[in-house]
Amino acid sequence: MTVNPASQQGKSESKDAQSDVDSCTRILQVMEKLSHIKDVDALLDEVLLQARLLTRSDAGSIYLIENNVLKFSYIHNDTLFGASGVSRYLYASQTLEVDNHSLAGYAALTGEPLLLEDVYHLPAGTPFIFNDTFDQMSGYRTRSILAAPLITSHNKTVGVIQIINPRSADGQPAIFTPGDLLLLDYFADNAASAIERAMMTRELILRMIKMCEMRDPKETGVHANRVGAYAAEVYHQWSLKQGIADDDIKRQKDLLRIAAMLHDLGKVAISDLILKKPAKLDFEEFRVMQYHTILGARLFQNQASDLDALSAEIALNHHEKWDGTGYPGKIDDIYQDQFPLGAGKQGEEIPIAGRIVALADVYDALVSQRVYKAPWSETMTLSHIKDQSGKHFDPAVVDAFLAIYDVIVAIREKYQDEDSSALLTASP
Ligand code: C2E
Ligand code: SIN
Ligand code: SIN
Ligand code: FE
Ligand code: FE
């Protein structure tokens, strides 16, 4: 549905044929880039960025369909959080029904893209209302919106992309044109297939983790999801401080999100008697438990891809400590039959991904219930982490973690109560 397309004639610049060809060439190049991204969140980030570049828009969001509801899944907003900022809004947990009561619901239901000049002045007879909760909370003013359903080549609707507030070539606020609508719709259909593939990868990994953790009913995919998301965002913050190039940050963050989810896969080889013991492990039991790092690393032994190599690195190093008192330590050959653990790796001998997942994992273990412990309070957990800066943890990693603490809390909320329909739980 294009709301009053005729009224836009003359208000907006018209696109000539050459620029249409340029846009289509661009989309083909972008699709090639999307095909290399593995993780869903990294992919949505790039899809949103490219959709916004195509239309020079300030903000946007993506909803994905899970269990027949639209789940808020990604957001960009240059005005509010800048182009490369880490934001708690990424982890908001809003859901919408697939019906004509919301913009996104309408686009998903009808399969038609939607162009609105001003969401605060919807044309008479529009079935949906604009939900202004985000604007209310953030102080942002949403005006013009383009929404397109994400429909794969197999005719499956995987979600909806919305882009918001375009600018003219000279940076002035503008409204979307019917040309923008066609472009976004074409792009959305191409992006949908890449998104479906990444969603399947995430599902497959979660299923693998659930299989391992079925033996321990308290553990689910949410712990893995949380550790993956904490690690990715702490890495993002840490690497901005290191001055690492944007493209390198994105590539590493994509892999880290997935590899960090797999940090404890080696526990599958540890006996139930130890894993489920509702009490403190004795010395010998804890020694057995420590081998989950090596067993995990062995699972990725072929290291056929960068993702395998990083997964092995994290499994092996996530219990090393900055001051050298961690495990399994320096070991010549992790494939020997029997061997003692080595002397702990220290400082930057521990790969950065290991240093980051160490903090992400301990934070999550402390604030969560375990068979062997009650959850710690927020205050106790944070003072423990600060106390362990320079001992258990790399001080630069602790600094990055504390700098984005609001994002950490939003992640915890998102992956705790998946059914919660609370909107934007962290206040601005
Ligand atoms: P996990 O439950 O995922 O815990 C990960 C890490 O969080 C632990 O590594 C430890 O560094 C930290 N952590 C967890 N709970 C506490 C705590 O109460 N106090 C402190 N100071 N740190 C805590 P760690 O110690 O190497 O343990 C690795 C894994 O071994 C744990 O993973 C858990 O599966 C198992 N485990 C460790 N201790 C016990 C225990 O006393 N009883 C049982 N049943 N399992 C244990
Ligand atoms: C141990 O059981 O020896 C130590 C495990 C822990 O840190 O809780
Ligand atoms: C808190 O919420 O407990 C404090 C957050 C912080 O220290 O950054
Ligand atoms: Fe572990
Ligand atoms: Fe863990």
Side-chain angles (χ1 to χ4, degrees), residues 222 226 367-368 411-419:
V222 288
R226 285 195 301 262
V367 297
S368 304
I411 291 169
R412 219 172 85 208
E413 285 170 0
K414 170 160 179 164
Y415 293 111
Q416 189 145 300
D417 188 2
E418 284 277 45
D419 293 326

Side-chain angles (χ1 to χ4, degrees), residues 201-275:
T201 304
R202 175 87 59 97
E203 272 305 306
L204 202 63
I205 286 167
L206 285 173
R207 217 170 292 149
M208 190 157 77
I209 289 163
K210 273 187 189 135
M211 213 164 65
C212 299
E213 295 182 339
M214 238 171 220
R215 298 162 51 213
D216 186 354
K218 282 214 178 63
E219 286 288 326
T220 63
V222 288
H223 165 68
N225 259 320
R226 285 195 301 262
V227 172
Y230 299 148
E233 298 303 348
V234 170
Y235 171 77
H236 191 159
Q237 177 67 21
W238 175 87
S239 55
L240 288 174
K241 280 273 156 75
Q242 304 286 313
I244 295 173
D246 226 39
D247 273 0
D248 294 337
I249 295 179
K250 281 188 182 179
R251 189 161 351 102
Q252 190 69 2
K253 189 178 175 184
D254 174 33
L255 300 179
L256 185 58
R257 168 81 196 235
I258 297 177
M261 290 176 77
L262 301 170
H263 69 277
D264 268 342
L265 216 59
K267 282 185 184 173
V268 72
I270 305 295
S271 135
D272 270 9
L273 292 175
I274 294 177
L275 208 56

Side-chain angles (χ1 to χ4, degrees), residues 292-354:
H292 81 277
T293 51
I294 289 158
L295 297 165
R298 285 181 181 172
L299 286 170
F300 304 99
Q301 63 175 307
N302 290 330
Q303 309 210 347
S305 65
D306 289 349
L307 181 61
D308 288 343
L310 188 62
S311 301
E313 185 174 283
I314 288 171
L316 191 63
N317 291 291
H318 74 280
H319 288 293
E320 297 290 355
K321 297 185 181 179
W322 184 253
D323 65 7
T325 62
Y327 64 88
K330 294 171 208 163
I331 293 161
D332 292 336
D333 175 10
I334 64 166
Y335 300 103
Q336 305 161 71
D337 268 353
Q338 279 208 316
F339 56 89
L341 298 180
K345 293 176 190 167
Q346 206 171 343
E348 290 178 0
E349 286 175 352
I350 309 162
I352 183 60

Side-chain angles (χ1 to χ4, degrees), residues 378 382 386 402 405:
E378 198 82 20
L382 283 170
K386 288 170 189 165
L402 295 175
Y405 192 68

Side-chain angles (χ1 to χ4, degrees), residues 177-193:
T177 65
D180 291 333
L181 182 88
L182 289 177
L183 204 56
L184 182 69
D185 200 28
Y186 176 64
F187 176 68
D189 288 349
N190 283 283
S193 296

Side-chain angles (χ1 to χ4, degrees), residues 61-110:
S61 56
I62 296 179
Y63 289 81
L64 294 182
I65 295 182
E66 279 174 47
N67 302 321
N68 299 318
V69 296
L70 284 160
K71 277 199 172 167
F72 175 85
S73 298
Y74 218 82
I75 186 171
H76 277 184
N77 191 309
D78 281 355
T79 298
L80 289 180
F81 22 96
S84 64
V86 179
S87 168
R88 67 173 170 272
Y89 289 109
L90 292 178
Y91 296 98
S93 46
Q94 186 192 11
T95 59
L96 295 171
E97 296 299 320
V98 179
D99 61 23
N100 63 11
H101 298 147
S102 66
L103 263 88
Y106 183 93
L109 185 70
T110 61

